Amino acid sequence: MWERLRDWVRERREHLNLFDETLVARQDNPMYLLGPLLYYFWLITVVTGVVLMIWYEPTTAGAYTSIERIQREVPLGWLIRGLHKYAADGVILTIILRIYRMYFLGEYKKPGELSWMLGFLGLILAMISGITGYLLIWNQRAFWAAKTVLTVPVYFDELPVIGRMGFGSMIAYIFLGGPAIGQATITRFYAIHFGISLVLLILIEVFFQRTRRKRINMSLLPIVLFLAMLVVISYILPAESGRRADPTRTPLPILSDWYFLALYQYVKYTPPLWAGLGPGLLIGYGMLVPFLDRSKGRRPLERPFFFVVGVMALLYFLAFTTLILFNIAVIEREPFIIMNLTAVILVLAFLWELRYRRRQRTAAPPPAPAAGGAAGH
């Protein structure tokens, strides 16, 4: 078994593409610029983050003041902070688009399973890095956004058997460092935010050193253009500081960075148990989809069930994000409709998949007769 697993990893590792670094010939399609752009935005985020550490104070008393000092008093502090924020947004955006490209084009199929799984894991780590970095501003919006996100793991305790172990509360406590958001939380978030980047930086550098591949495998023009774009956005829309965190005043609605907004609307809609299970199931599906999808085709309509799931995830993300931005939620009516509609669509998609596969088997030519049997006649 271990030998088979080792062979599986060795074969996939030879075709590993962390940033589309071997797909340069396909860069006439902009979707294949997403890999090098992801690395580029991530590099800017790391470098500017290290510079910001010079002035940032990771304490509940000094965090907000140090952010204001960076924004208004430190020479070019607004630019460094703006590049850090918008390049981090660029990391999330490019990795999401790349994940969708790989999903709809079936790039997670053999031998791309490992590339897909590492890419999906990268998305999860990027979102954890995002929420931990978001709290470091210590403003009203970040404080309540972190409080909402850290409520989600606690819902796991509603599970019939596992819930008794207090697994969800333990996850929340690890991040909080206590019963509520405070100094221990900001210290842990600071360490996690920095630690994720440090560990990934070391691992990725080892990967590039061993494979001798080029890190940013694209021409100079997009590099310059996207850097100019980040500078202009940082000037026109300076990274906001908001108001200092106040645990006694709850803002309505509670909003976070854009990539967590859909999750907030989902939490509003669902019972506590499903609020915890839903994100966990989605992560499990994402990591295991190369092994769940046993179809041979790579085009979207050759994988009906997986195509429908991908479209639904995209539509729900857009719809839920819009609804929470406008603070729209009819709790008595919409959750029932959404959950039943989702179940019906998934069942229909599954039946579509079965029907498509049956038609494929019927249309397939019969196997050729064996050589020995033909000679006997």
Side-chain angles (χ1 to χ4, degrees):
M1 176 183 172
W2 287 112
E3 189 174 343
R4 288 179 59 190
L5 180 61
R6 192 168 56 245
D7 291 343
W8 186 93
V9 172
R10 185 186 301 119
E11 184 180 353
R12 273 68 182 178
R13 194 175 56 197
E14 290 173 358
H15 297 86
L16 192 58
N17 259 311
L18 292 182
F19 302 100
D20 299 333
E21 62 273 7
T22 68
L23 303 175
V24 183
R26 305 178 71 174
Q27 285 185 0
D28 54 335
N29 183 340
M31 294 302 285
Y32 286 92
L33 280 175
L34 292 170
L37 273 179
L38 167 60
Y39 182 85
Y40 181 50
F41 285 140
W42 180 66
L43 203 60
I44 293 174
T45 307
V46 171
V47 171
T48 52
V50 170
V51 176
L52 289 173
M53 290 172 69
I54 298 171
W55 298 286
Y56 178 70
E57 184 181 336
T59 65
T60 54
Y64 182 82
T65 306
S66 66
I67 289 290
E68 281 287 88
R69 188 183 307 121
I70 291 169
Q71 190 70 27
R72 305 183 192 288
E73 299 175 15
V74 172
L76 294 179
W78 62 271
L79 178 58
I80 300 168
R81 188 164 168 250
L83 289 176
H84 186 70
K85 183 218 171 351
Y86 291 116
D89 284 346
V91 169
I92 298 285
L93 183 61
T94 50
I95 200 169
I96 288 176
L97 291 176
R98 184 168 177 266
I99 286 287
Y100 265 106
R101 185 202 78 202
M102 295 179 74
Y103 184 86
F104 283 118
L105 296 183
E107 293 179 12
Y108 55 72
K109 289 175 174 287
K110 184 181 179 180
E113 298 101 319
L114 194 57
S115 295
W116 163 267
M117 293 169 74
L118 291 178
F120 199 82
L121 180 63
L123 174 62
I124 297 168
L125 291 176
M127 295 184 78
I128 293 175
S129 180
I131 191 64
T132 51
Y134 193 54
L135 180 69
L136 300 183
I137 305 171
W138 202 249
N139 64 13
Q140 183 74 335
R141 184 170 171 171
F143 179 90
W144 289 96
K147 192 177 180 67
T148 303
V149 168
L150 290 174
T151 303
V152 173
V154 178
Y155 296 145
F156 280 118
D157 294 347
E158 301 278 336
L159 286 169
V161 179
I162 304 175
R164 297 177 186 170
M165 300 167 63
F167 184 64
S169 299
M170 184 179 68
I171 295 175
Y173 190 88
I174 289 172
F175 282 95
L176 284 169
I181 295 178
Q183 179 57 52
T185 314
I186 201 170
T187 302
R188 294 186 183 207
F189 273 41
Y190 189 52
I192 294 170
H193 188 65
F194 175 73
I196 287 176
S197 295
L198 179 64
V199 171
L200 289 180
L201 186 66
I202 293 171
L203 293 177
I204 289 170
E205 279 305 307
V206 169
F207 169 77
F208 278 121
Q209 286 293 328
R210 295 190 65 172
T211 58
R212 305 289 182 186
R213 292 179 183 173
K214 193 174 178 181
R215 287 168 178 76
I216 305 178
N217 214 342
M218 63 180 177
S219 64
L220 185 61
L221 181 61
I223 292 175
V224 174
L225 282 178
F226 278 99
L227 179 60
M229 182 188 73
L230 292 177
V231 172
V232 170
I233 295 175
S234 301
Y235 179 75
I236 296 175
L237 297 172
E240 64 174 12
S241 301
R243 303 176 65 179
R244 188 188 296 270
D246 182 356
T248 64
R249 298 183 62 183
T250 307
L252 287 176
I254 298 174
L255 298 175
S256 70
D257 258 347
W258 58 272
Y259 42 88
F260 273 113
L261 289 175
L263 174 65
Y264 285 25
Q265 186 74 4
Y266 170 79
V267 170
K268 288 169 69 175
Y269 273 160
T270 52
L273 177 60
W274 278 102
L277 278 179
L281 291 174
L282 190 60
I283 291 173
Y285 173 82
M287 291 298 289
L288 295 177
V289 72
F291 311 103
L292 298 174
D293 182 1
R294 311 306 297 174
S295 62
K296 295 180 180 177
R298 288 179 178 266
R299 290 183 294 183
L301 294 182
E302 292 175 334
R303 300 171 286 131
F305 178 79
F306 300 92
F307 169 68
V308 171
V309 171
V311 172
M312 282 177 66
L314 179 61
L315 291 178
Y316 279 20
F317 176 80
L318 297 175
F320 283 8
T321 299
T322 304
L323 289 172
I324 197 164
L325 282 175
F326 292 97
N327 196 22
I328 300 172
V330 182
I331 302 297
E332 295 79 13
R333 185 190 66 197
E334 290 170 2
F336 176 79
I337 296 174
I338 291 172
M339 291 188 72
N340 283 284
L341 184 65
T342 302
V344 170
I345 292 175
L346 287 178
V347 169
L348 291 176
F350 185 69
L351 294 175
W352 183 12
E353 177 87 26
L354 292 179
R355 184 170 180 266
Y356 178 80
R357 292 199 186 191
R358 188 164 55 244
R359 291 179 63 184
Q360 289 296 101
R361 283 196 298 271
T362 305
H377 293 284

